[in-house]
Amino acid sequence: MATRTQSAGDRPSRRKRPRGLLALAVLALTLPFGAARASVQEGIVSWYGERFQDRPTASGELFDFSDLTMAHPSLPFGTKVRVTNLRNGRSVVVRVNDRGPFVGSRIADLSQAAAASLGMLSRGLARARIEVLGD
C-alpha cells in the first residue's frame, strides 16, 4: 500500500493574520470614545423642540423640550457641557441625553430651552463652543 506524502503545494494554505490586526481593531474601537472626551469643541449647533416632545432619546429618557439637554454624537450620556454662543457670548450648561445631530457637520443639537437661553431660536443655528465640565 503506497502512502502519499504531501508536498508544499498540496497542503491547505493557512493564512496568517498580521500580528498587529488585533491591536489595530482595539484602537479603532476606542478612538471615537477617546476623542469624545476632548474638553473643548467649536462649530455649528442647532436645536430641536416641541415636535420631539415625549419621544424616547438615545439614552432612553423621554425628550422634554423645556429641559436643558443636548444631543452629541459621542459624549457619554449625563455629561455636563457649557455651550457658549460665540455671536452674543451667552452660555448655558446642558446635560447630554441623546445622540445627534445627523445633519451636515453640526457638532450638537440643543433642546429648545437651551437654544432660547443662548438667543438662537429665530436663527435656528449658531456658531458655538462646547466645553465638557468636570464632575
Side-chain angles (χ1 to χ4, degrees), residues 15-121:
R15 294 196 306 181
K16 291 184 179 180
R17 288 185 214 150
R19 289 182 175 243
L21 186 60
L22 180 59
L24 183 61
V26 170
L27 182 63
L29 290 172
T30 59
L31 269 178
F33 299 105
R37 297 199 183 271
S39 60
V40 178
Q41 191 177 11
E42 288 188 7
I44 302 299
V45 297
S46 52
W47 66 271
Y48 61 125
E50 209 168 330
R51 190 174 95 182
F52 295 93
Q53 182 69 17
D54 293 327
R55 287 188 178 179
T57 63
S59 67
E61 69 182 80
L62 297 181
F63 177 72
D64 184 343
F65 71 92
S66 64
D67 286 345
L68 296 175
T69 57
M70 176 178 92
H72 188 274
S74 57
L75 286 173
F77 296 134
T79 302
K80 299 282 186 170
V81 178
R82 175 178 291 113
V83 182
T84 303
N85 183 333
L86 297 176
R87 184 165 191 244
N88 61 20
R90 292 167 72 172
S91 67
V92 64
V93 174
V94 298
R95 179 178 49 86
V96 176
N97 74 335
D98 204 0
R99 290 290 173 236
F102 302 107
V103 178
S105 59
R106 297 179 193 172
I107 61 170
D109 267 337
L110 304 170
S111 66
Q112 185 172 339
S117 295
L118 294 175
M120 60 172 279
L121 282 180

